[in-house]
Amino acid sequence: MNITEYFRSNNVDAESIELIVTIPTYKRPQQLKLTLQSLVNQTIDKKFAVIVMDNHEGAEGAQSAKSFMTSADLNGADLNGADLNGIVILAHDRGNCHAYNAGWKTALLEFKNFRYLAVIDDDEVADPRWLEELVNTAEIFGTDLVGGPQIQQFKAEAHNVWKRHPVFLPHYERTEPVPILYSSGNVLISRHVLEHMPSPHLDPMFNFIGGGDSDFYSRCKREGFTFAWCNSAQVLEDVPSQRATFKWVNARSLRNGSISSIIDTKRSRNRLKTLAKSLVLLGISPFRSAISAIKNRSIVIGLYHVQVAIGRLLAEIGVINEQYRNPENK
């Protein structure tokens, strides 16, 4: 794994760190500072450290993180960035999964006593009680992984239909144990999960299509690890204008179907079985879409089931949209 340490804050006391927060970043230097500031504002009384993984050769994110951690000023505002314990690394192998793997490997090597590792994306801002709520939920339910909602923040001009579309909505609505998680943009993982699961944790085959997190959770479930959802552990995520369009939502829906097919094939190791499932889902998808369209009073929302089914079938013939190939457009 090709990793270079770019910066380490002076106040990193590895032995006393109980929590790690990892942040993969790619060409979002200003948004990253807002993410880091939301971590400064956390109310949790446990000591935590931040690991920023920059996956772009220009290292804009690494420079931004270093600037934040060594300065208390952004546009004249006092950010107390120097209060963060942190390490900034360069993950030189391009790809979403490589960035995550670099951060998780660094956490295991550098911090011998942490109990939990959390993940937040570089376009998200955490609620002040985010970490506290995730940890409390893990300990209350005794689960190994805990997810939380990514609350989408749309531009004022965004049509209301996108705010209700499945690609933008959290998978669960209540704090409770759940069968599985799907997203890594807001998650807490127990250390023993990372120690048990083989490295690399996220399969690089998902680097540019996404879904490495869903595949990881699927493998964790097969190993007997348990999951919970914490509805109060919220992060706010900006939705760029280009995402609130039919073109982007259609691409994401097709991609979701492709990922589902790929994970099914990996799990069953039976291509014909996955193909049969994809054909069945395609056959019933018009009926599911019609019911959804009527229920939601939206043809666009109703189309989701058909789009996912088509995406599954496209994956069977090797046609997959690599939305993460150009992350600035994802």
Side-chain angles (χ1 to χ4, degrees):
M1 198 175 296
N2 194 3
I3 305 170
T4 300
E5 182 176 306
Y6 183 86
F7 170 76
R8 180 186 296 252
S9 60
N10 293 329
N11 53 356
V12 173
D13 178 10
E15 298 297 321
S16 65
I17 297 300
E18 301 174 75
L19 297 165
I20 304 294
V21 181
T22 57
I23 312 172
T25 187
Y26 185 92
K27 296 177 69 173
R28 287 175 176 153
Q30 295 305 316
Q31 288 172 288
L32 175 61
K33 286 189 176 182
L34 298 178
T35 304
L36 291 169
Q37 177 59 36
S38 73
L39 299 181
V40 173
N41 297 337
Q42 292 299 297
T43 59
I44 193 166
D45 59 4
K46 300 181 186 298
K47 293 193 68 173
F48 68 91
V50 174
I51 299 176
V52 177
M53 306 91 76
D54 193 343
N55 196 224
H56 184 251
E57 61 273 11
E60 300 98 328
Q63 295 168 26
S64 180
K66 177 181 178 180
S67 172
F68 183 90
M69 293 184 195
T70 56
S71 173
D73 180 73
L74 176 62
N75 296 328
D78 183 10
L79 296 181
N80 299 318
D83 291 345
L84 276 184
N85 297 298
I87 299 175
V88 180
I89 63 173
L90 304 179
H92 297 287
D93 296 325
R94 174 79 194 285
N96 174 277
C97 296
H98 285 317
Y100 277 88
N101 291 332
W104 296 2
K105 178 179 180 180
T106 300
L108 289 170
L109 291 175
E110 295 285 343
F111 301 95
K112 304 299 184 183
N113 298 319
F114 81 85
R115 295 182 57 207
Y116 298 104
L117 179 145
V119 184
I120 186 171
D121 283 340
D122 62 350
D123 59 350
E124 297 173 345
V125 173
D127 180 87
R129 289 180 56 84
W130 172 63
L131 269 178
E132 188 173 0
E133 294 290 340
L134 286 175
V135 172
N136 287 345
T137 300
E139 295 183 346
I140 288 171
F141 294 118
T143 48
D144 304 300
L145 303 96
V146 180
Q150 297 160 262
I151 307 300
Q152 308 296 308
Q153 303 294 292
F154 289 86
K155 306 297 182 184
E157 68 273 13
H159 194 282
N160 186 55
V161 68
W162 304 125
K163 301 174 185 178
R164 298 185 290 116
H165 196 281
V167 301
F168 294 117
L169 295 178
H171 290 93
Y172 304 104
E173 297 180 348
R174 296 175 54 186
T175 297
E176 60 186 354
V178 294
I180 199 167
L181 300 174
Y182 299 94
S183 172
S184 59
N186 180 1
V187 67
L188 184 81
I189 306 172
S190 297
R191 182 191 184 104
H192 62 265
V193 174
L194 298 176
E195 290 177 331
H196 177 84
M197 297 299 290
S199 180
H201 294 100
L202 269 59
D203 189 338
M205 74 172 291
F206 294 96
N207 262 326
F208 300 112
I209 61 174
D213 42 11
S214 293
D215 173 64
F216 176 69
Y217 299 143
S218 176
R219 289 184 282 114
C220 285
K221 184 172 183 175
R222 291 203 302 273
E223 292 296 315
F225 293 116
T226 55
F227 305 84
W229 183 259
C230 179
N231 210 49
S232 55
Q234 298 184 354
V235 298
L236 304 180
E237 179 180 4
D238 282 335
V239 180
S241 297
Q242 69 265 26
R243 291 191 189 181
T245 62
F246 180 80
K247 178 181 179 181
W248 187 91
V249 170
N250 179 61
R252 179 54 60 102
S253 302
L254 293 172
R255 190 211 67 156
N256 287 353
S258 296
I259 291 171
S260 175
S261 174
I262 294 169
I263 293 175
D264 278 353
T265 300
K266 285 191 66 179
R267 181 168 53 235
S268 68
R269 298 180 181 179
N270 188 327
R271 188 89 181 258
L272 290 177
K273 181 178 179 181
T274 304
L275 176 60
K277 179 179 178 179
S278 295
L279 290 172
V280 169
L281 290 174
L282 182 65
I284 66 175
S285 64
F287 304 99
R288 299 178 69 192
S289 283
I291 293 171
S292 178
I294 294 170
K295 178 181 178 181
N296 292 286
R297 299 181 180 181
S298 169
I299 295 175
V300 173
I301 293 177
L303 278 173
Y304 182 66
H305 293 291
V306 169
Q307 292 164 322
V308 169
I310 292 173
R312 284 186 62 99
L313 200 59
L314 288 173
E316 299 294 340
I317 60 174
V319 179
I320 303 170
N321 179 24
E322 293 186 329
Q323 276 196 314
Y324 286 86
R325 180 69 67 175
N326 297 298
E328 58 270 20
N329 297 323
K330 68 181 174 66

